[in-house]
Amino acid sequence: MKNILGENDRTAAENQALFKEKGVYVLNLMGSPGAGKTSLLEKTMEFLKDEIPMAVIEGDLFTSRDAERIEKHGVPVIQINTAGGCHLDAPMVQKTAQKLDLDKLELLIVENVGNLVCPAEFAVGEDEKAVVLSVTEGDDKPMKYPLIFKESAIALLNKVDILPYTNFDLAQAKEDITTLHPGMRVLELSCTTGQGIAEWCTWLRNRVKEKGKRA
Ligand code: MG
Ligand code: ZN
């Protein structure tokens, strides 16, 4: 395991150097299956695609359904089919990034395979990680999967519009997240009502400005 991670880290560092040289801010978007990662990407594109040149790498176990959803928005998307592999790794992203015109991009979002465990262990060359947790998954998830919350720069509590129909304790989840990762940005989101989307886009826009071509 240590060797695998060491090798992955070396390739991740190469990817990171390339993205930095090209002025592309890279976000590794993680979360469980059904947390709403692709829906959030669709909302993000709706608001930012005309303003920020962006592309998406879609990690999926077997299908290209999510990539097809992204493609409809006219944003370049490349699918990585892991054929059952439960996370993306740096070599997969290295190979895939060669197919993108990095000179023209400012933002690359990598939607990882739906999984709260090992995506947090395998860097892909990203600037930062983000974790999406939907309120249907239960407020116990931060404490059960601490690494992904410790590693992420921002936690996105998704589907808050259906909060009244769940027993998700928002205050508890936020408290647990900030205990695990003091100072972490936590946003409440709903891709259905649009709640929090403007704040999320502002956060992302600022990251691109800080780290990307316009830095
Ligand atoms: Mg998805
Ligand atoms: Zn895995």
Side-chain angles (χ1 to χ4, degrees):
M1 188 64 182
K2 226 176 183 175
N3 274 337
I4 294 171
L5 283 174
E7 228 176 282
N8 188 74
D9 280 348
R10 273 192 293 280
T11 310
E14 288 171 18
N15 292 352
Q16 205 169 35
L18 175 68
F19 296 140
K20 193 174 178 199
E21 182 202 318
K22 300 289 185 183
V24 183
Y25 171 75
V26 182
L27 186 72
N28 183 354
L29 187 66
M30 309 179 293
S32 297
K37 298 183 294 301
T38 311
S39 299
L40 177 62
L41 279 181
E42 289 186 285
K43 273 282 170 212
T44 308
M45 289 181 290
E46 211 177 282
F47 282 85
L48 294 179
K49 72 173 178 188
D50 294 330
E51 184 190 330
I52 302 172
M54 61 170 77
V56 171
I57 290 178
E58 266 295 330
D60 219 311
L61 289 168
F62 297 106
T63 74
S64 57
R65 285 185 192 172
D66 286 354
E68 286 157 19
R69 283 168 64 186
I70 304 294
E71 209 159 35
K72 282 188 190 136
H73 295 264
V75 166
V77 54
I78 300 180
Q79 163 89 28
I80 299 179
N81 206 311
T82 62
C86 49
H87 60 270
L88 294 179
D89 63 24
M92 290 176 194
V93 169
Q94 186 168 57
K95 209 171 138 204
T96 308
Q98 290 168 1
K99 298 176 196 161
L100 291 167
D101 190 353
L102 295 176
D103 290 319
K104 290 195 177 136
L105 293 180
E106 294 184 20
L107 170 63
L108 173 62
I109 302 181
V110 179
E111 183 185 333
N112 219 308
V113 178
N115 179 346
L116 286 176
V117 187
C118 41
E121 292 171 15
F122 286 81
V124 299
E126 69 273 21
D127 289 285
E128 287 173 310
K129 296 177 169 79
V131 58
V132 184
L133 174 71
S134 76
V135 301
T136 53
E137 294 173 65
D139 51 33
D140 57 342
K141 294 303 172 291
M143 285 307 187
K144 279 190 174 174
Y145 301 94
L147 183 67
I148 203 163
F149 289 89
K150 286 180 185 170
E151 286 280 320
S152 295
I154 186 167
L156 304 159
L157 300 178
N158 197 18
K159 308 189 190 179
V160 290
D161 54 303
I162 55 172
L163 203 54
Y165 309 103
T166 69
N167 55 8
F168 192 94
D169 186 335
L170 199 58
Q172 185 65 54
K174 282 180 165 177
E175 195 189 311
D176 289 347
I177 290 168
T178 3
T179 302
L180 290 168
H181 187 163
M184 184 184 199
R185 188 74 194 272
V186 183
L187 284 183
E188 295 169 31
L189 285 186
S190 165
C191 294
T192 308
T193 65
Q195 183 184 336
I197 299 296
E199 287 95 326
W200 156 245
C201 288
T202 299
W203 183 86
L204 203 50
R205 189 185 287 118
N206 286 336
R207 305 318 258 184
V208 171
K209 273 187 203 152
E210 277 169 35
K211 310 245 183 183
K213 284 186 177 58
R214 290 182 261 189

